[in-house]
Amino acid sequence: MFKNISKILVKFYIRVFRYVVYKICQSLKTTRLGSIYGGWNFIEDNSFQGQTIISGGCGEDISFDIEFLNLYMGRVILVDPTPRSINHLEKVFDGLGNTKTKDYVEGGNQPISAYDLSKITSDQIEVEEFALYDKNNVTVKFFPPKNLEHVSYSISNWQNVDEETDYQIEVETITVKDIIKKYDIDSLKLIKLDIEGAAENQVLPFMIKEKIFPEQILVEFDELHTSNLKPYLKASKIIFQLLINGYKLIETNKFPDMLFVKKEILKLKNDNE
């Protein structure tokens, strides 16, 4: 009896959560860069020209990052410790200078020839083979996806993989704060977080605590793919904290991918149009 009531309450909360998110989302013109699988929505801004952004979670699809570099000719710091991702990035470096000759594929394993690398140089791409976390230089377990054909590992193990699996790996961690310091980033314009549960569990809470507020935050709340209550409670808290710290939630039509933009950036953009 109690279990049935609990399930009903969880379903009700999830429905309320999704309704509230829908209602508070602001409908604005956004631009989507990248493939169907690895693309992201953001708000274009000329101030991105020549700037450095942080991209957490690469997998085998960095189509957003490559298109962003081609559009703004800045620098991207790619953060991902998974072996297949590192191998993919090595192939990208080998392909620098080459033009795009293939279309993006539907899945997450993009051929290098699907990227336009003709105008991108090696000093525009920095790679950090660490896991983004709320502590620096800590060794953590990285749990594999249930489907081993997929590339993304998870600190939070939100897919409930057997914790004794032989496929887990150990990786070192790094914080957003340390990346900003290392690369001397005066003002972080944009961060993308597609890091399999670590965004909502460690990275965003850490950024809020440290008052690290980029102009735009592109984040996937991975654990909202489940029907468990706890991830929705955590996401509710983070969304509330971002809203009271001056962000607007912008409609992207790809739940649970979310786009948060600072209010003053939206006002400045409106004033200039």
Side-chain angles (χ1 to χ4, degrees):
M1 177 70 173
F2 176 77
K3 188 176 287 187
N4 289 335
I5 294 174
S6 177
K7 286 182 178 179
I8 291 171
L9 291 174
V10 170
K11 287 182 179 179
F12 176 73
Y13 187 88
I14 291 174
R15 289 181 64 183
V16 170
F17 174 92
R18 295 184 71 132
Y19 175 77
V20 171
V21 166
Y22 169 77
K23 294 299 287 185
I24 65 175
C25 273
Q26 191 167 338
S27 182
L28 293 174
K29 180 184 176 182
T30 62
T31 298
R32 185 172 180 83
L33 298 180
S35 67
I36 293 174
Y37 178 89
W40 288 82
N41 293 75
F42 76 111
I43 292 182
E44 286 196 55
D45 192 329
N46 289 332
S47 69
F48 284 133
Q49 290 290 343
Q51 295 294 315
T52 298
I53 67 170
I54 297 174
S55 183
C58 306
E60 295 169 321
D61 187 335
I62 58 167
S63 53
F64 170 82
D65 310 289
I66 295 300
E67 291 191 21
F68 192 94
L69 287 177
N70 279 317
L71 184 61
Y72 293 112
M73 299 308 294
R75 179 175 62 166
V76 61
I77 301 167
L78 302 171
V79 190
D80 197 319
T82 54
R84 280 172 56 183
S85 178
I86 293 168
N87 181 257
H88 186 76
L89 296 178
E90 288 174 350
K91 292 178 181 177
V92 169
F93 278 103
D94 290 339
L96 290 178
N98 295 335
T99 58
K100 176 184 176 80
T101 58
K102 291 184 180 178
D103 293 330
Y104 293 131
V105 298
E106 289 187 6
N109 186 2
Q110 296 300 335
I112 305 304
S113 53
Y115 302 135
D116 181 5
L117 303 172
S118 59
K119 297 180 181 178
I120 296 175
T121 60
S122 60
D123 59 356
Q124 290 180 272
I125 303 176
E126 303 286 354
V127 178
E128 292 290 340
E129 297 177 11
F130 296 93
L132 276 176
Y133 201 55
D134 57 1
K135 297 180 182 67
N136 200 36
N137 296 321
V138 175
T139 301
V140 295
K141 289 182 179 180
F142 236 29
F143 294 95
K146 277 190 175 181
N147 184 344
L148 293 177
E149 292 184 3
H150 296 169
V151 64
S152 298
Y153 280 58
S154 166
I155 290 177
S156 69
N157 194 22
W158 67 273
Q159 295 189 44
N160 291 317
V161 176
D162 181 2
E163 295 198 6
E164 301 303 318
T165 176
D166 293 334
Y167 294 102
Q168 65 177 264
I169 60 176
E170 290 189 342
V171 298
E172 299 298 311
T173 64
I174 194 169
T175 66
V176 172
K177 185 176 182 179
D178 282 289
I179 292 174
I180 290 172
K181 182 178 179 181
K182 178 177 179 179
Y183 291 96
D184 195 25
I185 303 172
D186 292 329
S187 176
L188 184 60
K189 297 284 187 181
L190 182 147
I191 189 169
K192 186 217 79 183
L193 298 171
D194 186 2
I195 48 179
E196 304 301 314
E200 54 264 48
N201 287 297
Q202 286 90 23
V203 178
L204 282 174
F206 173 82
M207 289 172 60
I208 292 167
K209 179 183 175 183
E210 296 292 325
K211 300 188 183 306
I212 299 172
F213 297 122
E215 293 180 3
Q216 298 192 37
I217 300 174
L218 289 56
V219 57
E220 180 179 9
F221 286 87
D222 293 276
E223 294 186 355
L224 299 189
H225 288 294
T226 72
S227 57
N228 299 323
L229 177 61
K230 192 173 180 180
Y232 284 86
L233 293 173
K234 287 186 291 187
S236 299
K237 179 181 178 182
I238 290 170
I239 291 170
F240 175 74
Q241 288 177 311
L242 290 174
L243 293 178
I244 64 174
N245 278 287
Y247 284 92
K248 287 281 189 180
L249 180 57
I250 310 301
E251 183 180 349
T252 63
N253 293 319
K254 200 186 175 202
F255 185 88
D257 288 4
M258 297 189 193
L259 168 61
F260 296 89
V261 182
K262 294 288 284 183
K263 289 179 184 178
E264 60 260 34
I265 300 304
L266 295 175
K267 184 178 184 305
L268 185 62
K269 190 172 179 62
N270 289 334
D271 290 343
N272 292 334
E273 289 179 351

